[in-house]
Amino acid sequence: MSETTEQEPPVLWLKAVERSYKQGEAALDILKGAEFAVWPGESVALIAPSGTGKSTLLHIAGLLEAPDAGEVYVSGVATSGMADSDRTRIRRTEIGFVYQFHHLLPEFTALENVMLPQMIRGLTKKEAKTRAGELLGYLGLAERLNHRPAELSGGEQQRVAIARAVANAPRLLMADEPTGNLDPKTADHVFSALTQLVRASRLAAVVATHNMELAARMDRRVTIRDGLVVEL
């Protein structure tokens, strides 16, 4: 992290977050006062085995799930006490999501898939088309704009999914195993595109991955141990 980055407020800050689930009569404690922050332009790898709370942490950080205790700040705003509608609005405007499977709409072209979230937000078709074309071009897909997902390779599909996730200029990007379905060479290409975009747009990115080689190229690496987020 640069000195300037450290002086800025974090885009995401989990403060003393707790989360447990009922398992029969017993409570299964997943997060026990977890603390975690990510700053603008910073990429953080989340490396944790299944069952340690990785998905729970991602869901809480992405406002898909509320913590039992503690607070989640997004761009300095406390979110835990918000109504569902307000949390949904922040998810739409401040947070982008990329998953292991691309979830692109099969009947639409790459360009249209990236235009749609912008038009839902209120941009005109012309504005959405211009930004979608720029994003896809930046990610090396200028020749594939009018191809539908089935006509794209796995790496191309994931790059379209990344473009769609950042189409509305969120401040935070949550990615869950975004290269998990890809061969090593394609994964490397997609990962490079993702980190380049993070730095260029000053996004804060949290990327869950089992790929230690890719994780090593990120700004920081964290894991979950005994319900806490620990630096590696």
Side-chain angles (χ1 to χ4, degrees), residues 87-197:
R87 288 163 62 85
T88 299
R89 177 182 50 77
I90 289 179
R91 269 202 314 274
R92 277 204 197 117
T93 58
E94 298 283 315
I95 307 172
F97 295 91
V98 182
Y99 300 98
Q100 188 166 345
F101 185 72
H102 57 76
H103 295 295
L104 298 172
L105 298 171
E107 65 273 30
F108 293 103
T109 65
L111 189 70
E112 289 164 343
N113 265 283
V114 182
M115 287 171 63
L116 277 171
Q118 300 177 73
M119 292 170 69
I120 289 168
R121 192 172 175 187
L123 265 70
T124 65
K125 188 174 180 180
K126 185 181 178 184
E127 290 169 327
K129 188 174 183 179
T130 299
R131 177 159 169 80
E134 287 171 353
L135 275 170
L136 290 166
Y138 184 82
L139 292 169
L141 295 167
E143 306 299 314
R144 313 294 276 167
L145 301 185
N146 296 314
H147 289 64
R148 289 186 170 82
E151 301 169 313
L152 302 172
S153 70
E156 288 169 341
Q157 290 167 346
Q158 278 302 77
R159 280 183 281 156
V160 175
I162 290 166
R164 181 184 58 186
V166 301
N168 282 331
R171 300 200 60 211
L172 174 65
L173 182 67
M174 309 293 297
D176 191 1
E177 297 288 349
T179 61
N181 288 335
L182 306 175
D183 66 82
K185 187 176 179 183
T186 307
D188 181 77
H189 195 65
V190 169
F191 192 83
S192 296
L194 177 61
T195 50
Q196 191 178 351
L197 191 62

Side-chain angles (χ1 to χ4, degrees), residues 21-29:
Y21 300 96
K22 280 216 164 178
Q23 201 173 49
E25 292 298 308
L28 184 64
D29 296 325

Side-chain angles (χ1 to χ4, degrees), residues 3-4 8 39 59-60 63 65 81 94 99 103 114 116 121 131 143 170 177-178 199 206-207 211 217 228:
E3 287 179 24
T4 54
E8 296 177 68
W39 280 263
H59 289 167
I60 288 174
L63 305 189
E65 194 175 319
E94 298 283 315
Y99 300 98
H103 295 295
V114 182
L116 277 171
R121 192 172 175 187
R131 177 159 169 80
E143 306 299 314
E177 297 288 349
R199 292 202 172 93
V206 180
V207 182
N211 189 323
R217 288 159 49 188
L228 300 174

